[in-house]
Amino acid sequence: MSFSSILGQDKTVKRLRALLESGRVPPAMIFHGAPGTGKFLTAAEFAKALNCSHLAHRERPAAPPLPDENDLFAAAAPAPAADPEPGPAILHSDPSDSCGACLSCLQAQSGAHPDIRVVDTVFQAAFLDEPESANLKIDTMRELTRWAQQKPMLSRWKVFIVRDAEALVPQAQNALLKTLEEPPPGTLVILTVSKKTSLLATILSRSCIIEFGRLPDASVKTILEAQGTEPARAAALAALATGSLEKAAEAGAFLKQISALRPGDPSKIFKFSAGLPRDSHKAREEVKTLLDLLLAKTRAAWRAADGSLKTKFTALLRRTLDLRRMADRNVSYQLLLETALLESERAGIKIEDLVKPA
Ligand SMILES: [Zn+2]
């Protein structure tokens, strides 16, 4: 794995490689873009490339076995040849990418690098010894600040990747701010975030913002195929994904649920909406994805229509957009979804149409 494993973000990767090449890496960076566009993967690759030593990693050869004292016929062991201990070979001299073979790269790849830490709600649950929470708390950021004060153990840089930083509560952001204001030398904090507005202005102003655009459909398809999805299904999901691997995964799950519905079943919409997650945060995200799919379908129908049909789809588009806006408020997501699906069905767009590519 190196930057070549990141597909569909060529401009962004080029910018990051230029930073590595220049040696002027800012102490705080924000990787901003829609969910499922490769922000975290790129942050991990950037941390790896930054700490790559480009020097071959040699395991020390094991000492030869001692001769068995009871074996009288054992030949005397030859004196071990003097180990010339050559200096480590330079593997890869491109400073803008990782070599994938030095000790630092091997540890980064195994997720066990002592100087690269991923801070997310899973890490927090283990660190605070409590169930996983939707928020990143002040105690977790205090731990990050404390660790930032220590020297790196293996490499030149200590890198913290705060994943999905919109989960940081304001007090936690304030605690993090101290590290961003006076970064200890050799410290890099990368926040990955899909909504910049969830971060304090003081955090934004101290960070170098790297934008991640939506992935081209062809890249989504290639990535899905590399993950084992068969080509026709990968193409269908890529068309529904709006450039996000997360949306592609959600669409894949919906595809499964929707294909299990009987098209003539009068209660199919209610059966489908009853399958929404209990967790309201997850339910809201799923409803938003479904409404986005519905909007894409309605726009396609609107483009193809004329006359009174066009007027009908214009009204449906307006109505679905209104419902999509409401999904950001504290409402019953199940009711919202049922309303949108019923109104669309009345205008001729059925739930089973959602899984057909536009
Ligand atoms: Zn390396």
Side-chain angles (χ1 to χ4, degrees):
M1 294 281 277
S2 67
F3 279 125
S4 62
S5 63
I6 295 170
L7 300 181
Q9 293 294 0
D10 298 356
K11 253 170 69 186
T12 307
V13 166
K14 206 173 153 192
R15 188 171 171 208
L16 292 171
R17 293 184 67 154
L19 279 175
L20 288 167
E21 204 150 29
S22 72
R24 286 196 298 271
V25 173
M29 298 171 92
I30 290 175
F31 285 14
H32 172 249
T37 49
K39 302 183 295 292
F40 177 72
L41 189 67
T42 311
E45 282 302 328
F46 188 76
K48 194 171 103 187
L50 187 63
N51 272 337
C52 174
S53 70
H54 304 281
L55 298 175
H57 171 54
R58 270 185 347 132
E59 295 281 357
R60 282 198 156 273
L66 290 172
D68 185 344
E69 278 178 9
N70 298 325
D71 185 353
L72 297 173
F73 298 102
D83 187 350
E85 283 283 344
I90 293 177
L91 284 166
H92 177 287
S93 56
D94 179 358
S96 76
D97 205 351
S98 55
C99 71
C102 70
L103 180 61
S104 174
C105 283
L106 294 175
Q107 293 204 338
Q109 275 154 207
S110 68
H113 197 295
D115 301 316
I116 300 174
R117 191 171 285 188
V118 176
V119 180
D120 59 8
T121 52
V122 176
F123 162 81
Q124 175 175 265
F127 168 63
L128 298 178
D129 194 18
E130 58 182 38
E132 196 180 339
S133 141
N135 295 324
L136 282 169
K137 302 175 181 177
I138 186 165
D139 287 345
T140 310
M141 287 306 113
R142 282 189 182 137
E143 165 69 3
L144 186 157
T145 309
R146 196 184 61 77
W147 194 48
Q149 300 301 329
Q150 298 166 5
K151 285 203 166 19
M153 290 168 80
L154 172 74
S155 305
R156 283 175 54 217
W157 286 81
K158 246 174 333 179
V159 186
F160 302 88
I161 304 171
V162 183
R163 189 176 191 171
D164 297 329
E166 46 272 271
L168 287 164
V169 296
Q171 301 92 309
Q173 292 191 38
N174 274 318
L176 177 64
L177 198 55
K178 288 184 194 120
T179 308
L180 303 188
E181 277 168 342
E182 292 166 37
T187 301
L188 166 65
V189 179
I190 302 176
L191 308 178
T192 74
V193 69
S194 51
K195 243 200 211 165
K196 260 190 293 196
T197 48
S198 57
L199 296 176
L200 299 176
T202 39
I203 298 237
L204 291 171
S205 66
R206 277 168 181 80
S207 308
C208 166
I209 298 176
I210 307 282
E211 295 290 346
F212 284 70
R214 293 197 173 263
L215 301 171
D217 285 3
S219 302
V220 175
K221 182 173 178 282
T222 309
I223 296 168
L224 292 175
E225 282 183 34
Q227 291 169 351
T229 310
E230 50 118 354
R233 190 177 163 91
L237 292 178
L240 296 168
T242 58
S244 155
L245 283 173
E246 201 168 298
K247 288 255 179 203
E250 279 174 7
F254 293 142
L255 199 83
K256 237 182 176 169
Q257 284 176 43
I258 293 173
S259 359
L261 299 171
R262 273 189 306 115
D265 182 349
S267 58
K268 65 185 176 186
I269 286 175
F270 303 103
K271 281 185 184 156
F272 179 73
S273 68
L276 280 177
R278 295 244 174 271
D279 177 276
S280 72
H281 176 73
K282 283 189 191 146
R284 180 173 67 193
E285 291 311 306
E286 285 201 7
V287 166
K288 277 158 76 170
T289 302
L290 270 160
L291 291 178
D292 286 343
L293 294 178
L294 207 53
L295 279 169
K297 204 40 102 181
T298 312
R299 275 195 201 101
W302 176 83
R303 272 195 297 271
D306 48 23
S308 65
L309 211 53
K310 194 143 194 132
T311 318
K312 185 173 77 172
F313 285 131
T314 307
L316 181 65
L317 256 182
R318 283 213 184 102
R319 177 69 181 139
T320 313
L321 273 170
D322 279 347
L323 294 169
R324 174 68 175 75
R325 271 181 221 118
M326 282 168 73
D328 277 318
R329 291 183 219 147
N330 200 8
V331 292
S332 159
Y333 303 115
Q334 190 171 344
L335 190 64
L336 194 72
L337 180 63
E338 285 165 4
T339 311
L341 289 172
L342 286 169
E343 289 185 14
S344 297
E345 178 127 348
R346 220 171 289 138
I349 295 175
K350 299 191 188 117
I351 183 169
E352 51 269 31
D353 296 338
L354 288 185
V355 296
K356 297 175 195 154

